[in-house]
């Protein structure tokens, strides 16, 4: 899964009406959240509204707090923390590669 559109298509039955779902297009974030959602979708009544970045930080909005008041809040917080960590690592990696004149996929940024 490479795009948020693909993610939202896979989990379209779990997006609450009127919301747009996943809005982060980082493949490593999508892979991580996909693994988590494989388990979360087993919870009866599970829905999510949005997964996005706001002011540079990940925000996860689900109905888990309604379904499981204490555990749901912790799960949402853990998801946000892990997504923020992944985004930070990706950002650092991209900057280090740029300092070597390499793109994220390892190809040269300089035209020959």
């Amino acid at each position: 899964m490479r795009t948020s559109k693909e993610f939202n298509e896979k989990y379209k039955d779990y997006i609450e009406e009127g919301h747009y779902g996943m809005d982060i297009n980082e493949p490593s974030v999508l892979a991580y959240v996909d693994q988590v959602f494989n388990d979360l979708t087993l919870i009866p009544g599970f829905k999510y509204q949005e997964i996005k970045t706001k002011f540079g930080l990940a925000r996860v909005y689900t109905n888990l707090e309604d379904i499981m008041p204490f555990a749901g809040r912790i799960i949402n917080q853990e998801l946000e923390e892990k997504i923020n960590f992944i985004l930070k690592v990706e950002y650092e990696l991209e900057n280090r590669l740029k300092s070597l004149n390499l793109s994220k996929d390892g190809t040269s940024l300089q035209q020959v």
Side-chain angles (χ1 to χ4, degrees):
M1 177 167 327
R2 307 285 299 164
T3 67
S4 60
K5 185 176 179 180
E6 292 172 5
F7 183 93
N8 288 329
E9 182 61 32
K10 179 176 181 179
Y11 294 106
K12 65 183 174 192
D13 294 336
Y14 300 96
I15 300 175
E16 281 193 8
E17 189 174 330
H19 295 279
Y20 54 81
M22 173 64 80
D23 192 39
I24 300 174
N25 272 309
E26 181 60 51
S28 53
V29 169
L30 295 169
Y32 168 69
V33 178
D34 183 40
Q35 285 183 334
V36 173
F37 268 40
N38 283 331
D39 292 330
L40 292 181
T41 55
L42 299 175
I43 299 170
F46 169 75
K47 295 281 186 183
Y48 75 108
Q49 296 89 25
E50 299 167 3
I51 301 172
K52 62 182 181 179
T53 56
K54 186 174 184 179
F55 304 116
L57 296 172
R59 292 289 172 247
V60 175
Y61 301 98
T62 71
N63 68 342
L64 287 173
E65 286 188 54
D66 298 332
I67 297 171
M68 308 178 302
F70 181 69
R73 183 167 34 100
I74 292 171
I75 292 169
N76 282 347
Q77 288 173 344
E78 283 294 313
L79 268 168
E80 288 176 354
E81 287 177 19
K82 298 289 190 285
I83 292 169
N84 284 327
F85 179 77
I86 293 168
L87 290 172
K88 181 179 178 182
V89 168
E90 291 291 337
Y91 176 78
E92 289 296 322
L93 177 64
E94 193 171 334
N95 281 339
R96 289 182 187 198
L97 287 169
K98 280 182 185 176
S99 73
L100 299 170
N101 288 318
L102 295 172
S103 69
K104 199 170 179 181
D105 62 2
T107 59
S108 177
L109 292 174
Q110 294 179 342
Q111 293 188 354
V112 180

